[in-house]
Amino acid sequence: ESFGLMLGESSACGALCITGDFSPTNEIIKSDFGVLIKPSALIPIDELRPKLQKSFGLRDCYPRNLHYLEPPCMYDFNIEQYARVLRYIYDNWYEKYSKIDTRTPIINNWKWKASAQKLVQILSK
């Protein structure tokens, strides 16, 4: 998901983003201009590696010889919950979602000046 670039670009183009409620996606898309879904599980990559390699043809994904500060994991979502969210959005589009300004929060928060100020604050600590 490219560090949230697709979410920011989609939102800046006026699309309603539906994403996971975890960092960094919930830092880019806030619940007042997007839809956040809680993951149902956190799965260690080691458990998923065989499936990723077999199903998607990935080779050397997340090699075992790298030393991670914490084990890499992926989030899983409940497909029924996700379907309910999509149906709710569809049923309530005109009353609730079509009027949401998805562009302005992205434009205001992700300008070069705002990003530089955040970087200065982080480096000052």
Side-chain angles (χ1 to χ4, degrees), residues 101-122:
D101 177 10
T102 65
R103 181 176 169 76
T104 302
I106 293 295
I107 299 301
N108 289 341
N109 292 325
W110 298 98
K111 290 181 182 177
W112 282 110
K113 183 176 180 180
S115 297
Q117 288 172 337
K118 289 177 190 174
L119 179 61
V120 168
Q121 289 174 352
I122 291 168

Side-chain angles (χ1 to χ4, degrees), residues 21 46 56 109:
D21 190 4
D46 285 340
F56 300 105
N109 292 325

Side-chain angles (χ1 to χ4, degrees), residues 74-93:
M74 294 181 87
Y75 291 102
D76 193 16
F77 293 89
N78 179 301
I79 194 72
E80 288 84 15
Q81 177 196 14
Y82 188 75
R84 284 192 300 273
V85 168
L86 291 176
R87 182 63 197 215
Y88 182 82
I89 292 169
Y90 178 82
D91 289 342
N92 294 282
W93 179 255

Side-chain angles (χ1 to χ4, degrees), residues 45-46 49 53 59-68 71-72:
I45 292 292
D46 285 340
R49 183 182 288 111
Q53 290 171 332
R59 295 182 340 134
D60 301 325
C61 63
Y62 301 98
R64 294 171 194 246
N65 60 345
L66 293 179
H67 298 287
Y68 299 101

